[in-house]
Amino acid sequence: MQTYGDLEALVVDRRRHPPGTADAPLLARLRVVPPGRASGTLSRVLVLTPYGVETILADARRTGRGTRVDVAVPAATPEPALAALRSTLATLGAGGISVRLERDARWQP
């Protein structure tokens, strides 16, 4: 989310599609760790829309080779959605960017 409008749209959508329903929006926590730096880490929470996924890819590519991207999704994320995200993020490997995608049982949005 980058603007108040993004937050408002998410709240309206979550009211229409509560968590746990098949068509609920999927959220992800993202952490982009630049190569060889303890500082400069980027953290985001975003909705996994096509725009959200493109944001993940752009953030990772901007920092370049050696970057590590950690993506956490709620434990209830359906396997097909996880597989599709994993496939999309795999393109970062060609640019020397490592990706760790995991379900986080502690995170229940």
Side-chain angles (χ1 to χ4, degrees), residues 60-84:
R61 289 180 179 133
R62 191 173 304 116
T63 55
R65 282 194 172 280
T67 296
R68 187 181 84 233
V69 178
D70 299 324
V71 182
V73 296
T77 301
E79 186 56 42
L82 198 61

Side-chain angles (χ1 to χ4, degrees), residues 11-66:
V11 170
V12 168
D13 196 52
R14 296 284 287 213
R15 292 193 73 180
R16 284 189 202 131
H17 309 287
T21 61
D23 53 355
L26 297 175
L27 299 176
R29 273 194 322 242
L30 166 71
R31 207 173 117 183
V32 178
V33 182
R37 287 196 250 160
S39 63
T41 298
L42 171 69
S43 297
R44 294 185 190 263
V45 174
L46 45 80
V47 180
L48 291 176
T49 61
Y51 174 78
V53 173
E54 187 56 39
T55 300
I56 294 172
L57 296 172
D59 288 344
R61 289 180 179 133
R62 191 173 304 116
T63 55
R65 282 194 172 280

